[in-house]
Amino acid sequence: MSTKLPERTQAGAPAETHHMPGRESADRKQVTQGRWASVLLVPTLILLAVVIIYPVVNAIIMSFQKDAGLNPATGFFEQGGPAGFENYTHWLFQQCNGQSCPPGTLGSQFWNAMGTTFFFTVVTVALETVLGFWMAIIMARSFRGRSAVRAAVLVPWAIPTAVTAKLWFFIFAFDGIANKLFGTQILWTGSEWPAKWAVVISDTWKTTPFMALLILAGLQLIPDEVYEAAKVDGATAWQRFRLITLPLVKPALMVAILFRTLDALRMFDLPYIMTQGANNTTTLSILVVDQIREGFNSAAALSTVTFIVIFLVAFIFVRFLGANAVGAATSSGRK
């Protein structure tokens, strides 16, 4: 272990250490700012702990408790107690009292609800991305009435989801506009696939403007000089889109897809109001609400499973697909 000796002058005497007053002032200012930043962050951290950490931890604790109810073996009403992983096996392995859950019970609908949720998520996000990209490219151009078009695009997004669901419920009624417009006699909400596509069309109509505006924000960050230089070099429209637009708009596009994916995985309003979850349109969120009416603790287990699924999807987007909203904002701020 070496000891650093003080520097000496040519005469052999230790050199005096000179501290710059300006440097000390800057260090003190930095320390003071760091302390103030910590103090100002405390209320935010407390608020996040109350509204996020406490509900999540409480739900996890509840998920390991039994729901109060009648014991089928004794016929008596029993209070709940420790359940171990019983609530989780009830959903994941569709086990009811040690046996397979009978068809029609909530426990037997878990994997169907999971599949329906991912079907709605994949199809609606794909359609909204394509249509939103197309709308964003149009709105990015200069033409007369562009401001009016941008305001009009916001209308579906501004309408409350419950109102949207009721609006499309009447459109897809047997004597509604959809059947009269196409000359069909389809009972849209009366069978599985017409009901699913009715929900998909409704959600796409409502949420595509959200995607379009987020993508438009990314398009407006691309300098016009880049396109002009590409035109001078003889690049075609397809080459400019593939080699300039897509790579440069990718950060904003991935963040938009991430937000919409997480939102679609929590879909509740549209299918619940349009179909009541019938005809295999029950999503995980609808299943959670239905289970709450029968028992909070089992619903807490299902909520925890849903939370883990959404968390894993978000992790995959951020870790492997580059949908890092915080990183994108930081890098753009440095530019």
Side-chain angles (χ1 to χ4, degrees), residues 123-204:
V123 176
T124 58
V125 173
L127 290 174
E128 290 161 12
T129 302
V130 174
L131 295 175
F133 212 123
W134 174 64
M135 293 169 63
I137 290 176
I138 293 176
M139 290 189 293
R141 296 179 178 176
S142 298
F143 57 90
R144 181 178 295 179
R146 184 176 67 172
S147 300
V149 171
R150 290 183 177 181
V153 164
L154 280 175
V155 172
W157 175 248
I159 296 176
T161 307
V163 177
T164 300
K166 213 60 183 174
L167 172 70
W168 283 95
F169 174 80
F170 290 122
I171 291 176
F172 285 118
F174 185 73
D175 56 349
I177 298 174
N179 279 336
K180 291 183 179 179
L181 186 64
F182 297 106
T184 55
Q185 293 182 337
I186 301 174
L187 189 59
W188 287 90
T189 56
S191 54
E192 180 178 350
W193 286 106
K196 284 184 175 179
W197 282 110
V199 173
V200 167
I201 293 171
S202 307
D203 189 73
T204 303

Side-chain angles (χ1 to χ4, degrees), residues 41-228:
L41 280 175
V42 169
T44 303
L45 294 176
I46 293 174
L47 182 62
L48 291 176
V50 171
V51 301
I52 296 178
I53 297 177
Y54 171 73
V56 171
V57 173
N58 194 41
I60 294 174
I61 294 173
M62 289 175 62
S63 68
F64 289 101
Q65 301 293 319
K66 287 182 180 179
D67 288 316
L70 289 175
N71 188 332
T74 62
F76 291 104
F77 186 85
E78 295 181 352
Q79 296 294 333
F85 290 93
E86 184 178 332
N87 289 329
Y88 290 96
T89 57
H90 167 67
W91 295 111
L92 297 175
F93 300 104
Q94 300 182 331
Q95 294 292 310
C96 297
N97 298 319
Q99 300 176 350
S100 296
C101 295
T105 59
L106 294 180
S108 66
Q109 300 178 31
F110 173 75
W111 288 109
N112 285 338
M114 180 75 79
T116 301
T117 302
F118 273 90
F119 171 78
F120 285 147
T121 301
V122 172
V123 176
T124 58
V125 173
L127 290 174
E128 290 161 12
T129 302
V130 174
L131 295 175
F133 212 123
W134 174 64
M135 293 169 63
I137 290 176
I138 293 176
M139 290 189 293
R141 296 179 178 176
S142 298
F143 57 90
R144 181 178 295 179
R146 184 176 67 172
S147 300
V149 171
R150 290 183 177 181
V153 164
L154 280 175
V155 172
W157 175 248
I159 296 176
T161 307
V163 177
T164 300
K166 213 60 183 174
L167 172 70
W168 283 95
F169 174 80
F170 290 122
I171 291 176
F172 285 118
F174 185 73
D175 56 349
I177 298 174
N179 279 336
K180 291 183 179 179
L181 186 64
F182 297 106
T184 55
Q185 293 182 337
I186 301 174
L187 189 59
W188 287 90
T189 56
S191 54
E192 180 178 350
W193 286 106
K196 284 184 175 179
W197 282 110
V199 173
V200 167
I201 293 171
S202 307
D203 189 73
T204 303
W205 178 82
K206 175 175 174 53
T207 321
T208 297
F210 174 77
M211 295 288 288
L213 291 176
L214 288 181
I215 297 171
L216 176 63
L219 289 177
Q220 290 180 331
L221 295 177
I222 303 175
D224 294 334
E225 292 79 6
V226 178
Y227 289 108
E228 293 172 1

